[in-house]
Amino acid sequence: MGLDDIVNANNYPIIFIGSGISKRYLANSPSWIELLEEFWKIISDDDFYKHLAKIRNDIQNSHDENDIQFLVNTSIATEIQKEFDNLYFNQKLSVEGLNSKYLYENNISPFKYSIAKRFSKYELRDDIDEEEFDEFKKLLVNARIIITTNYDTFLEDILKDVEHKPKIFVGQDGFFSDTSGWGELFKIHGSVSAPSSIILNTEDYKTYDRNSILISAKIIATMIYSPILFLGYSLTDRNIKKLLADFSSQIPSDDARNTSDRIIVVEYEQENNTLAESITTDSNRQLSYTHISTNNYIELYKKINSINEGLTPYEIMKYTDAIKQLVVTSGSAGSLESVLLSPTDLDNVVDDIDKGKPIVVAMGDNKYIFVNPTTTSYLSDYILEKFEILHENALRFIAREQQMGRYPFLKHYMDCNLEASNLEKFEIKNLNNRYTKDFTNLNCITNTINKRNRIEYKSIQNILELPDTKLANKIDLITYNSAKLDYNELNNYVKYNALPEFNKMYKLRTAKNSAEKSAYRKLFVAWDILTFGKK
């Protein structure tokens, strides 16, 4: 089994991300040893590497050779933290932004606070490959879950930019929680957002190791369906060796030899532009994995990004959370029977799915079927005027979206008696606020358009044929002129050009088209006002 077999299995992967990925895309991103050297120079004038050599010499005869570098690093980290903190408390060292009250109330080490500050700001490298970086963003969006040992906010910032907001767990909190296993980011070595969570010194790792089995157990449960991809690690990295060791201790011996079709370790090799695969077996642990040596990350990402389960992990997470909430709430009230309905016997659903039969399982009571639209399914249903999503369910979706998120909704709002509906009070309040603000007045929409795009045109075709004009600007020009254009031309453009293009961009989940997506949303609201607004 190799990468192609994993892709053909078509299951979203679990992605492990190490410091090598930060070094690939971020300027001045240090390795562990480079970071320690930075802080050593703050507290001492002694030769850093001479001191490392002394530590190594003291321990090399009493420990396994493969553990020496890790033990040297944690030992020097422990020394640096102790001396750094002592200098701070003795007022011989200052830390910008840190005051004694905050330090005391949060029980923070000045050293770890400084580490967090060191990683709290970053810049992309000047020589970044834009196409590769776009594929990397898609990879993150299509990860079932992401697990990282990095402290920075690089990953979550990317996911914010692409409208995908994962649940974030810092340290090992998430492994004690009842998580969905979809659309989640686990920062297992801590985060700049919580300096005390940072794993760096000897005692930190002892505590981490005692609980690391929780991480492995959770991942192995997910591995039944999803492969694991390690990025930004070296095979000599203690983190990866520890995780693989924990895996082997939890996987039955018969399965451990067959894990190469579930575990991929990608190792950077500068001169290798192929995806050189090999099956590696750890003889001590009887654990096999697929090892890929490469510098051709764009090809690797494209292959993994071809996996498509139909919905994104984020959308699956939304469904999972909605179902969980429905079941827990109704179960507590003893009314599950009235909210779980199916056109077929529930006992036979799994068998029917396995046989490839079309299955619809509805949740709700006899009058109100529970539907959880996605952005694209909602817009397609509304703009194409299918209205297969019931008014109440559509309005619930709108009410729970961000207040300033632009969606057409006027027909649902005017055709539904909110006070007589099953909508929550806060949902009705959100809808009323939305209706009375910027979503019913065309001028409020056109006034948000950049002044350079407030030029009058008589046809959409004239606008689309403008040379040297970005697509987002063309869409804004159409929105600005929407009331003056022929309505049939506008209606056909929105339904059969703008909507399909928006859906295509939205499903890619990249920041690259954010301006176009925003422009399309304004256009959809303008179309809504002209189509269903007050006459």
Side-chain angles (χ1 to χ4, degrees):
M1 297 285 286
L3 179 60
D4 287 339
D5 299 291
I6 290 169
V7 170
N8 290 335
N10 202 45
N11 298 126
Y12 291 129
I14 303 166
I15 308 288
F16 268 87
I17 293 182
S19 60
I21 289 298
S22 288
K23 288 184 74 67
R24 187 171 185 86
Y25 298 120
L26 303 184
N28 301 317
S29 182
S31 65
W32 190 5
I33 199 70
E34 289 168 343
L35 175 68
L36 294 172
E37 184 180 9
E38 277 185 33
F39 279 84
W40 174 265
K41 290 178 179 179
I42 295 174
I43 63 152
S44 177
D45 293 327
D46 292 347
D47 187 300
F48 176 67
Y49 288 97
K50 184 182 291 185
H51 194 72
L52 290 185
K54 182 180 182 303
I55 296 174
R56 183 176 59 194
N57 186 63
D58 290 343
I59 66 174
Q60 63 184 359
N61 294 327
S62 56
H63 292 87
D64 187 290
E65 183 180 353
N66 293 325
D67 296 329
I68 295 297
Q69 190 59 57
F70 167 75
L71 294 171
V72 169
N73 288 356
T74 54
S75 295
I76 193 67
T78 302
E79 285 187 38
I80 294 171
Q81 179 172 344
K82 183 178 179 180
E83 181 62 19
F84 191 102
D85 290 355
N86 283 337
L87 289 171
Y88 177 85
F89 288 123
N90 290 317
Q91 298 183 345
K92 295 179 180 179
L93 179 69
S94 62
V95 176
E96 185 180 352
L98 179 61
N99 63 68
S100 55
K101 181 180 179 182
Y102 177 81
L103 181 145
Y104 175 75
E105 290 178 346
N106 293 278
N107 192 25
I108 292 175
S109 155
F111 172 65
K112 288 193 176 180
Y113 178 89
S114 298
I115 292 287
K117 189 173 181 181
R118 165 68 175 81
F119 284 96
S120 63
K121 294 181 180 179
Y122 61 83
E123 294 180 359
L124 293 178
R125 291 173 55 143
D126 293 334
D127 59 349
I128 199 168
D129 183 317
E130 294 291 347
E131 185 181 3
E132 179 189 306
F133 192 51
D134 283 341
E135 292 295 330
F136 176 67
K137 293 176 184 177
K138 294 177 191 176
L139 182 80
L140 296 182
V141 170
N142 289 323
R144 176 165 179 165
I145 59 175
I146 302 168
I147 303 172
T148 183
T149 49
N150 298 343
Y151 311 136
D152 57 51
T153 60
F154 177 49
L155 302 179
E156 53 260 54
D157 291 343
I158 287 176
L159 293 171
K160 286 178 186 176
D161 288 342
V162 295
E163 301 179 288
H164 171 104
K165 297 173 178 58
K167 291 183 178 179
I168 301 172
F169 299 94
V170 175
Q172 294 175 332
D173 291 344
F175 297 97
F176 290 96
S177 305
D178 182 20
T179 59
S180 68
W182 292 97
E184 296 163 339
L185 171 60
F186 296 89
K187 305 188 75 171
I188 60 176
H189 279 189
S191 173
V192 297
S193 64
S196 294
S197 68
I198 289 175
I199 304 294
L200 192 61
N201 62 39
T202 300
E203 194 57 40
D204 294 335
Y205 273 97
K206 285 181 179 178
T207 302
Y208 172 82
D209 287 348
R210 283 195 294 269
N211 296 318
S212 65
I213 203 71
L214 290 168
I215 300 173
S216 299
K218 190 142 194 167
I219 293 168
I220 288 166
T222 309
M223 266 179 69
I224 297 171
Y225 307 103
S226 299
I228 299 176
L229 180 66
F230 287 92
L231 293 170
Y233 294 98
S234 163
L235 285 177
T236 60
D237 191 300
R238 191 264 187 184
N239 293 311
I240 194 170
K241 290 193 294 184
K242 180 69 171 64
L243 288 164
L244 292 175
D246 286 346
F247 289 170
S248 66
S249 70
Q250 294 296 299
I251 299 173
S253 57
D254 289 344
D255 293 334
R257 289 186 293 271
N258 299 314
T259 52
S260 62
D261 62 342
R262 314 304 294 164
I263 301 174
I264 311 172
V265 179
V266 179
E267 194 165 22
Y268 170 74
E269 188 175 330
Q270 185 173 2
E271 302 302 323
N272 191 345
N273 288 317
T274 68
L275 299 178
E277 290 187 25
S278 62
I279 303 299
T280 301
T281 300
D282 187 320
S283 57
N284 294 325
R285 304 182 180 95
Q286 289 297 299
L287 184 76
S288 296
Y289 54 88
T290 297
H291 176 240
I292 298 177
S293 299
T294 191
N295 190 22
N296 190 354
Y297 281 75
I298 187 170
E299 183 63 24
L300 172 74
Y301 296 157
K302 284 181 176 180
K303 279 182 173 285
I304 298 294
N305 288 338
S306 66
I307 295 173
N308 184 358
E309 293 190 33
L311 294 175
T312 68
Y314 174 62
E315 289 168 334
I316 295 172
M317 178 192 72
K318 288 180 70 174
Y319 281 117
T320 302
D321 286 350
I323 292 169
K324 183 186 294 184
Q325 181 180 359
L326 179 69
V327 172
V328 169
T329 302
S330 301
S332 299
S335 58
L336 270 177
E337 185 176 355
S338 67
V339 298
L340 291 177
L341 305 172
S342 172
T344 184
D345 188 340
L346 285 173
D347 292 338
N348 299 324
V349 167
V350 174
D351 290 338
D352 288 345
I353 290 173
D354 289 341
K355 293 174 184 176
K357 292 184 178 180
I359 300 298
V360 176
V361 177
M363 291 168 290
D365 58 27
N366 289 331
K367 295 180 181 178
Y368 304 102
I369 301 302
F370 180 91
V371 177
N372 191 26
T374 63
T375 294
T376 53
S377 67
Y378 173 84
L379 289 174
S380 295
D381 181 78
Y382 189 94
I383 292 174
L384 296 177
E385 300 182 60
K386 297 178 181 179
F387 303 124
E388 294 171 352
I389 300 173
L390 299 180
H391 293 315
E392 189 172 302
N393 295 323
L395 289 172
R396 177 172 287 110
F397 168 76
I398 294 297
R400 291 172 181 262
E401 290 296 300
Q402 292 182 359
Q403 189 63 33
M404 294 309 296
R406 292 187 172 90
Y407 288 91
F409 78 110
L410 296 180
K411 180 171 176 58
H412 289 311
Y413 182 88
M414 291 186 290
D415 288 355
C416 182
N417 184 341
L418 298 184
E419 298 304 323
S421 72
N422 287 302
L423 294 170
E424 301 284 348
K425 288 183 179 179
F426 81 90
E427 292 172 332
I428 295 174
K429 180 181 178 181
N430 288 348
L431 290 167
N432 287 333
N433 287 341
R434 184 181 285 265
Y435 183 75
T436 57
K437 288 189 176 179
D438 298 340
F439 298 88
T440 58
N441 188 318
L442 189 59
N443 288 335
C444 289
I445 299 299
T446 56
N447 286 341
T448 66
I449 291 172
N450 192 296
K451 290 183 178 180
R452 68 171 178 267
N453 293 323
R454 299 183 190 180
I455 304 170
E456 292 191 7
Y457 285 89
K458 294 182 178 180
S459 80
I460 291 176
Q461 193 60 37
N462 290 342
I463 295 172
L464 295 177
E465 290 175 353
L466 288 172
D468 303 321
T469 305
K470 293 181 179 179
L471 177 59
N473 293 335
K474 292 179 180 180
I475 301 165
D476 278 348
L477 284 167
I478 294 172
T479 302
Y480 180 73
N481 288 280
S482 56
K484 306 179 188 71
L485 297 170
D486 177 77
Y487 176 77
N488 289 330
E489 183 187 19
L490 175 69
N491 189 47
N492 286 333
Y493 175 76
V494 168
K495 289 182 176 179
Y496 307 117
N497 296 94
L499 176 64
E501 283 302 310
F502 174 87
N503 286 345
K504 186 190 302 182
M505 290 178 184
Y506 189 87
K507 289 177 180 178
L508 289 175
R509 304 284 180 149
T510 68
K512 187 176 181 180
N513 304 115
S514 57
E516 290 85 352
K517 286 184 288 186
S518 177
Y520 276 131
R521 285 179 181 272
K522 292 179 186 178
L523 175 61
F524 296 155
V525 173
W527 170 86
D528 189 33
I529 294 168
L530 293 170
T531 305
F532 298 112
K534 294 177 181 178
K535 305 299 183 183

